[in-house]
Amino acid sequence: MRPNRSTVAVIVMLASFPWGTVVRGEELPLMENLPISEFQNRTEDVRTYDFNAPPQGLFRSITLAEDFEEQVGFHRTHEIVPINPTDRFPANVTAIVIVFALHQHYQAFTVFGRCMPERVTGLSPATIVSEDAMHIALEDESGYLKLSPPNEGWTPGRYKVEIHTGEQINEMSLMGTMRFTIVAAGTGSD
């Protein structure tokens, strides 16, 4: 009886195997008794996230501006671009605009902006003076929030805007904080 091709192939493979170079397990350079901390994240490598600074992570960029315009982007998508970026506005400004660009995301969500006085005479820091929200669809790469002035108008001073993302504002949705200054109407925005 003649051996079939598969038997011949197995015999050829076994004959050509380099038996002299086989390394046994006890000869491998193993590290014994290493502490578990060698396999965990080192605390010196971990940066803490600052929720009191402009948002990072999901946001490629985020800026305050006097206005925005919509342009056709690289991928033929609508791209929101800031006009006259600044963090100082006159008291008679019609709106404060926050323009942002996003990293790729795999789910729709909402970006919220909640404006409160930080150092404004006569206003409690817990008062919400303006807020806005923008729904971000899966294909959106940029967006904006438009903070309208309160009914009495903007009072000169320092304001902060908490930026939240998700479905609603809660203690887990804060991404960061933007700050701007309102100056008296006759002094300009520089």
Side-chain angles (χ1 to χ4, degrees), residues 42-71:
R42 300 180 323 168
T43 55
E44 60 268 15
D45 293 339
V46 177
R47 290 185 346 199
T48 58
Y49 190 86
D50 187 4
F51 293 98
N52 207 24
Q56 300 173 6
L58 176 65
F59 294 90
R60 270 191 297 129
S61 66
I62 185 166
T63 186
L64 292 151
E66 292 178 0
D67 206 354
F68 71 93
E69 67 182 8
E70 197 170 339
Q71 297 178 348

Side-chain angles (χ1 to χ4, degrees), residues 64-131:
L64 292 151
E66 292 178 0
D67 206 354
F68 71 93
E69 67 182 8
E70 197 170 339
Q71 297 178 348
V72 176
F74 176 72
H75 297 288
R76 309 287 299 158
T77 58
H78 297 279
E79 187 175 318
I80 308 296
V81 179
I83 296 176
N84 298 330
T86 183
D87 64 349
R88 295 176 61 82
F89 300 92
N92 61 355
V93 67
T94 57
I96 309 290
V97 178
I98 300 173
V99 177
F100 51 86
L102 301 165
H103 286 288
Q104 187 174 10
H105 48 93
Y106 300 102
Q107 183 175 336
F109 59 94
T110 303
V111 176
F112 301 92
R114 184 179 272 181
C115 181
M116 295 166 276
E118 193 169 44
R119 289 189 313 260
V120 179
T121 306
L123 290 177
S124 166
T127 307
I128 298 172
V129 295
S130 185
E131 55 188 337

Side-chain angles (χ1 to χ4, degrees), residues 130-145:
S130 185
E131 55 188 337
D132 192 20
M134 180 175 196
H135 180 74
I136 303 297
L138 189 59
E139 65 273 7
D140 290 337
E141 296 175 2
S142 61
Y144 68 93
L145 298 171

Side-chain angles (χ1 to χ4, degrees), residues 2 8 10-11 27-28 41 64 67 75-76 87 99 109 125 133 149-150 152 170-171 178 188:
R2 283 178 44 177
V8 173
V10 169
I11 292 171
E27 294 176 9
L28 290 175
N41 292 336
L64 292 151
D67 206 354
H75 297 288
R76 309 287 299 158
D87 64 349
V99 177
F109 59 94
E152 319 76 49
N170 58 39
E171 63 275 357
M178 304 292 293

Side-chain angles (χ1 to χ4, degrees), residues 141-177:
E141 296 175 2
S142 61
Y144 68 93
L145 298 171
K146 199 169 195 174
L147 302 171
S148 300
N151 293 336
E152 319 76 49
W154 292 106
T155 304
R158 184 99 169 137
Y159 292 83
K160 71 178 184 177
V161 182
E162 291 180 347
I163 305 296
H164 295 261
T165 61
E167 298 300 320
Q168 62 185 5
I169 295 175
N170 58 39
E171 63 275 357
M172 299 298 292
S173 64
L174 180 64
M175 293 291 290
T177 307

